[in-house]
Short mmCIF file of all heavy atoms in Angstrom, two decimals:
data_model
loop_
_atom_site.label_atom_id
_atom_site.label_comp_id
_atom_site.label_asym_id
_atom_site.label_seq_id
_atom_site.Cartn_x
_atom_site.Cartn_y
_atom_site.Cartn_z
N ARG A 15 -132.24 23.10 15.21
CA ARG A 15 -133.56 23.70 14.97
C ARG A 15 -133.58 25.18 15.31
O ARG A 15 -134.62 25.81 15.32
CB ARG A 15 -134.62 22.97 15.81
CG ARG A 15 -134.76 21.51 15.53
CD ARG A 15 -135.56 21.34 14.28
NE ARG A 15 -135.85 19.94 14.07
CZ ARG A 15 -135.80 19.37 12.89
NH1 ARG A 15 -135.51 20.06 11.83
NH2 ARG A 15 -136.06 18.09 12.75
N GLY A 16 -132.40 25.73 15.66
CA GLY A 16 -132.32 27.15 15.97
C GLY A 16 -132.78 27.49 17.37
O GLY A 16 -133.08 28.65 17.66
N MET A 17 -132.83 26.50 18.25
CA MET A 17 -133.25 26.74 19.63
C MET A 17 -132.05 26.54 20.55
O MET A 17 -131.31 25.58 20.42
CB MET A 17 -134.37 25.76 20.01
CG MET A 17 -135.64 25.96 19.22
SD MET A 17 -136.94 24.82 19.68
CE MET A 17 -136.52 23.42 18.66
N TYR A 18 -131.86 27.48 21.47
CA TYR A 18 -130.71 27.44 22.37
C TYR A 18 -131.15 27.66 23.81
O TYR A 18 -130.83 28.68 24.43
CB TYR A 18 -129.68 28.50 21.93
CG TYR A 18 -129.26 28.27 20.49
CD1 TYR A 18 -129.87 28.97 19.46
CD2 TYR A 18 -128.30 27.34 20.18
CE1 TYR A 18 -129.52 28.73 18.13
CE2 TYR A 18 -127.93 27.09 18.87
CZ TYR A 18 -128.55 27.80 17.85
OH TYR A 18 -128.21 27.55 16.54
N PRO A 19 -131.89 26.69 24.37
CA PRO A 19 -132.35 26.84 25.76
C PRO A 19 -131.21 26.60 26.74
O PRO A 19 -130.15 26.10 26.39
CB PRO A 19 -133.40 25.73 25.89
CG PRO A 19 -132.90 24.67 24.97
CD PRO A 19 -132.30 25.42 23.80
N THR A 20 -131.45 26.99 27.99
CA THR A 20 -130.51 26.67 29.05
C THR A 20 -130.73 25.21 29.42
O THR A 20 -131.82 24.81 29.79
CB THR A 20 -130.78 27.55 30.29
OG1 THR A 20 -130.63 28.91 29.90
CG2 THR A 20 -129.83 27.23 31.42
N LEU A 21 -129.70 24.40 29.28
CA LEU A 21 -129.77 22.99 29.64
C LEU A 21 -128.93 22.77 30.88
O LEU A 21 -127.76 23.17 30.92
CB LEU A 21 -129.26 22.10 28.50
CG LEU A 21 -130.03 22.18 27.19
CD1 LEU A 21 -129.34 21.32 26.13
CD2 LEU A 21 -131.46 21.74 27.37
N VAL A 22 -129.51 22.16 31.88
CA VAL A 22 -128.81 21.93 33.13
C VAL A 22 -128.87 20.44 33.45
O VAL A 22 -129.95 19.86 33.47
CB VAL A 22 -129.46 22.74 34.29
CG1 VAL A 22 -128.73 22.47 35.59
CG2 VAL A 22 -129.46 24.22 33.95
N SER A 23 -127.72 19.83 33.69
CA SER A 23 -127.66 18.42 34.08
C SER A 23 -127.27 18.34 35.54
O SER A 23 -126.37 19.06 35.98
CB SER A 23 -126.59 17.68 33.25
OG SER A 23 -126.93 17.68 31.90
N GLY A 24 -127.93 17.48 36.28
CA GLY A 24 -127.58 17.30 37.68
C GLY A 24 -128.80 17.19 38.55
O GLY A 24 -129.92 17.02 38.06
N ASP A 25 -128.62 17.29 39.83
CA ASP A 25 -129.72 17.21 40.79
C ASP A 25 -130.49 18.52 40.72
O ASP A 25 -129.99 19.58 41.06
CB ASP A 25 -129.14 17.00 42.20
CG ASP A 25 -130.22 16.84 43.26
OD1 ASP A 25 -131.40 17.10 42.96
OD2 ASP A 25 -129.88 16.45 44.38
N GLY A 26 -131.72 18.44 40.26
CA GLY A 26 -132.52 19.63 40.04
C GLY A 26 -133.39 20.06 41.20
O GLY A 26 -134.22 20.95 41.04
N LEU A 27 -133.23 19.46 42.35
CA LEU A 27 -134.10 19.77 43.47
C LEU A 27 -134.15 21.26 43.81
O LEU A 27 -135.20 21.79 44.12
CB LEU A 27 -133.68 18.98 44.71
CG LEU A 27 -134.59 19.12 45.92
CD1 LEU A 27 -135.99 18.58 45.61
CD2 LEU A 27 -134.00 18.40 47.12
N LEU A 28 -133.01 21.94 43.68
CA LEU A 28 -132.95 23.36 44.00
C LEU A 28 -133.16 24.25 42.77
O LEU A 28 -133.07 25.46 42.85
CB LEU A 28 -131.62 23.71 44.67
CG LEU A 28 -131.36 22.99 45.98
CD1 LEU A 28 -129.98 23.36 46.52
CD2 LEU A 28 -132.45 23.29 47.00
N GLY A 29 -133.44 23.62 41.63
CA GLY A 29 -133.62 24.40 40.41
C GLY A 29 -132.30 24.93 39.92
O GLY A 29 -131.25 24.36 40.19
N TYR A 30 -132.35 26.06 39.21
CA TYR A 30 -131.15 26.70 38.68
C TYR A 30 -131.41 28.20 38.69
O TYR A 30 -131.84 28.79 37.69
CB TYR A 30 -130.86 26.18 37.27
CG TYR A 30 -129.53 26.60 36.72
CD1 TYR A 30 -128.35 26.09 37.22
CD2 TYR A 30 -129.47 27.51 35.68
CE1 TYR A 30 -127.13 26.48 36.71
CE2 TYR A 30 -128.25 27.91 35.14
CZ TYR A 30 -127.09 27.38 35.66
OH TYR A 30 -125.88 27.77 35.15
N ALA A 31 -131.18 28.82 39.83
CA ALA A 31 -131.54 30.21 40.06
C ALA A 31 -130.77 31.20 39.19
O ALA A 31 -131.25 32.31 38.95
CB ALA A 31 -131.34 30.57 41.54
N GLU A 32 -129.59 30.82 38.69
CA GLU A 32 -128.74 31.74 37.94
C GLU A 32 -129.43 32.37 36.74
O GLU A 32 -129.14 33.49 36.35
CB GLU A 32 -127.45 31.06 37.50
CG GLU A 32 -126.47 30.81 38.62
CD GLU A 32 -126.80 29.55 39.43
OE1 GLU A 32 -127.80 28.85 39.12
OE2 GLU A 32 -126.08 29.27 40.39
N GLY A 33 -130.34 31.66 36.09
CA GLY A 33 -130.99 32.18 34.89
C GLY A 33 -132.46 32.49 35.08
O GLY A 33 -133.15 32.84 34.13
N ALA A 34 -132.95 32.37 36.29
CA ALA A 34 -134.38 32.56 36.56
C ALA A 34 -134.78 34.02 36.38
O ALA A 34 -133.93 34.90 36.52
CB ALA A 34 -134.70 32.09 37.97
N PRO A 35 -136.01 34.30 36.07
CA PRO A 35 -137.11 33.35 35.91
C PRO A 35 -137.15 32.74 34.50
O PRO A 35 -136.73 33.37 33.53
CB PRO A 35 -138.35 34.20 36.15
CG PRO A 35 -137.98 35.57 35.70
CD PRO A 35 -136.49 35.69 35.99
N TYR A 36 -137.63 31.53 34.43
CA TYR A 36 -137.73 30.79 33.17
C TYR A 36 -139.16 30.81 32.65
O TYR A 36 -140.11 30.95 33.41
CB TYR A 36 -137.29 29.33 33.38
CG TYR A 36 -135.85 29.24 33.82
CD1 TYR A 36 -135.51 29.03 35.15
CD2 TYR A 36 -134.83 29.40 32.90
CE1 TYR A 36 -134.19 28.96 35.55
CE2 TYR A 36 -133.50 29.33 33.29
CZ TYR A 36 -133.18 29.12 34.62
OH TYR A 36 -131.88 29.06 35.00
N ASP A 37 -139.30 30.65 31.35
CA ASP A 37 -140.63 30.58 30.73
C ASP A 37 -141.28 29.24 31.01
O ASP A 37 -142.50 29.14 31.14
CB ASP A 37 -140.55 30.80 29.22
CG ASP A 37 -140.09 32.20 28.87
OD1 ASP A 37 -140.44 33.14 29.62
OD2 ASP A 37 -139.40 32.36 27.86
N ARG A 38 -140.46 28.19 31.05
CA ARG A 38 -140.98 26.84 31.30
C ARG A 38 -139.86 25.94 31.77
O ARG A 38 -138.70 26.24 31.58
CB ARG A 38 -141.65 26.26 30.06
CG ARG A 38 -140.77 26.22 28.84
CD ARG A 38 -141.48 25.82 27.55
NE ARG A 38 -142.54 26.65 27.08
CZ ARG A 38 -142.43 27.78 26.39
NH1 ARG A 38 -141.25 28.26 26.14
NH2 ARG A 38 -143.47 28.43 25.97
N VAL A 39 -140.23 24.83 32.38
CA VAL A 39 -139.28 23.82 32.84
C VAL A 39 -139.65 22.50 32.18
O VAL A 39 -140.82 22.11 32.19
CB VAL A 39 -139.33 23.66 34.37
CG1 VAL A 39 -138.42 22.52 34.82
CG2 VAL A 39 -138.93 24.96 35.06
N ILE A 40 -138.67 21.84 31.59
CA ILE A 40 -138.87 20.51 31.00
C ILE A 40 -137.93 19.57 31.73
O ILE A 40 -136.71 19.79 31.73
CB ILE A 40 -138.58 20.53 29.49
CG1 ILE A 40 -139.52 21.51 28.79
CG2 ILE A 40 -138.72 19.12 28.92
CD1 ILE A 40 -139.17 21.76 27.34
N ALA A 41 -138.47 18.55 32.34
CA ALA A 41 -137.65 17.59 33.09
C ALA A 41 -137.71 16.23 32.41
O ALA A 41 -138.78 15.79 32.01
CB ALA A 41 -138.14 17.50 34.52
N THR A 42 -136.56 15.59 32.31
CA THR A 42 -136.50 14.24 31.74
C THR A 42 -136.20 13.25 32.86
O THR A 42 -135.21 12.53 32.81
CB THR A 42 -135.45 14.16 30.62
OG1 THR A 42 -134.19 14.56 31.15
CG2 THR A 42 -135.82 15.04 29.45
N CYS A 43 -137.05 13.28 33.87
CA CYS A 43 -136.89 12.39 35.02
C CYS A 43 -138.26 12.18 35.65
O CYS A 43 -139.20 12.90 35.35
CB CYS A 43 -135.92 13.00 36.03
SG CYS A 43 -136.49 14.59 36.67
N GLY A 44 -138.35 11.21 36.51
CA GLY A 44 -139.59 10.97 37.24
C GLY A 44 -139.61 11.81 38.51
O GLY A 44 -138.60 11.96 39.18
N MET A 45 -140.76 12.37 38.82
CA MET A 45 -140.92 13.18 40.03
C MET A 45 -142.21 12.80 40.72
O MET A 45 -143.23 12.60 40.06
CB MET A 45 -140.99 14.67 39.67
CG MET A 45 -139.81 15.23 38.89
SD MET A 45 -138.28 15.25 39.80
CE MET A 45 -138.65 16.32 41.14
N ARG A 46 -142.20 12.72 42.04
CA ARG A 46 -143.44 12.49 42.81
C ARG A 46 -144.13 13.81 43.09
O ARG A 46 -145.34 13.87 43.17
CB ARG A 46 -143.14 11.77 44.10
CG ARG A 46 -142.72 10.34 43.86
CD ARG A 46 -142.47 9.65 45.18
NE ARG A 46 -141.99 8.32 44.90
CZ ARG A 46 -142.57 7.24 45.35
NH1 ARG A 46 -143.62 7.32 46.12
NH2 ARG A 46 -142.07 6.07 45.05
N THR A 47 -143.33 14.87 43.28
CA THR A 47 -143.86 16.22 43.49
C THR A 47 -142.97 17.19 42.73
O THR A 47 -141.82 16.89 42.43
CB THR A 47 -143.87 16.61 44.98
OG1 THR A 47 -142.54 16.59 45.48
CG2 THR A 47 -144.75 15.69 45.81
N ILE A 48 -143.50 18.35 42.45
CA ILE A 48 -142.72 19.38 41.77
C ILE A 48 -141.99 20.18 42.84
O ILE A 48 -142.62 20.73 43.75
CB ILE A 48 -143.63 20.30 40.94
CG1 ILE A 48 -144.34 19.49 39.87
CG2 ILE A 48 -142.83 21.44 40.34
CD1 ILE A 48 -145.39 20.24 39.10
N PRO A 49 -140.66 20.27 42.75
CA PRO A 49 -139.90 21.03 43.74
C PRO A 49 -140.34 22.50 43.78
O PRO A 49 -140.57 23.11 42.73
CB PRO A 49 -138.45 20.92 43.27
CG PRO A 49 -138.42 19.65 42.45
CD PRO A 49 -139.76 19.60 41.78
N ALA A 50 -140.44 23.07 44.95
CA ALA A 50 -140.85 24.46 45.13
C ALA A 50 -139.95 25.41 44.35
O ALA A 50 -140.42 26.40 43.79
CB ALA A 50 -140.86 24.82 46.61
N ALA A 51 -138.66 25.11 44.27
CA ALA A 51 -137.72 25.97 43.55
C ALA A 51 -138.10 26.08 42.08
O ALA A 51 -137.94 27.14 41.47
CB ALA A 51 -136.30 25.44 43.69
N TRP A 52 -138.61 25.01 41.49
CA TRP A 52 -139.00 25.05 40.08
C TRP A 52 -140.14 26.04 39.88
O TRP A 52 -140.16 26.79 38.93
CB TRP A 52 -139.43 23.69 39.60
CG TRP A 52 -138.35 22.66 39.52
CD1 TRP A 52 -137.09 22.73 40.06
CD2 TRP A 52 -138.44 21.41 38.87
NE1 TRP A 52 -136.41 21.60 39.78
CE2 TRP A 52 -137.20 20.76 39.06
CE3 TRP A 52 -139.44 20.77 38.16
CZ2 TRP A 52 -136.96 19.49 38.54
CZ3 TRP A 52 -139.18 19.50 37.65
CH2 TRP A 52 -137.95 18.89 37.84
N ILE A 53 -141.08 26.02 40.79
CA ILE A 53 -142.25 26.93 40.70
C ILE A 53 -141.79 28.37 40.92
O ILE A 53 -142.15 29.27 40.17
CB ILE A 53 -143.32 26.52 41.70
CG1 ILE A 53 -143.86 25.13 41.35
CG2 ILE A 53 -144.44 27.55 41.76
CD1 ILE A 53 -144.70 24.49 42.41
N GLU A 54 -140.96 28.58 41.92
CA GLU A 54 -140.46 29.92 42.24
C GLU A 54 -139.61 30.51 41.13
O GLU A 54 -139.58 31.72 40.95
CB GLU A 54 -139.65 29.88 43.53
CG GLU A 54 -140.50 29.54 44.75
CD GLU A 54 -139.65 29.11 45.95
OE1 GLU A 54 -138.40 29.12 45.85
OE2 GLU A 54 -140.25 28.76 46.97
N GLN A 55 -138.92 29.66 40.36
CA GLN A 55 -138.00 30.12 39.33
C GLN A 55 -138.64 30.16 37.93
O GLN A 55 -137.96 30.43 36.96
CB GLN A 55 -136.76 29.23 39.31
CG GLN A 55 -135.96 29.34 40.58
CD GLN A 55 -134.86 28.31 40.67
OE1 GLN A 55 -134.51 27.65 39.70
NE2 GLN A 55 -134.31 28.16 41.88
N THR A 56 -139.93 29.92 37.85
CA THR A 56 -140.64 29.94 36.56
C THR A 56 -141.63 31.09 36.55
O THR A 56 -142.34 31.33 37.52
CB THR A 56 -141.39 28.61 36.34
OG1 THR A 56 -140.44 27.54 36.47
CG2 THR A 56 -142.02 28.55 34.98
#
């Protein structure tokens, strides 16, 4: 579809600071709370 987002597989608790800040985060997992790192890196 012509889209090339950063895809990260693994434990996302700490986010992925290498490419931050991000426009949005899409998670394909269940979460009880949103990790602080995700908010800080978006």
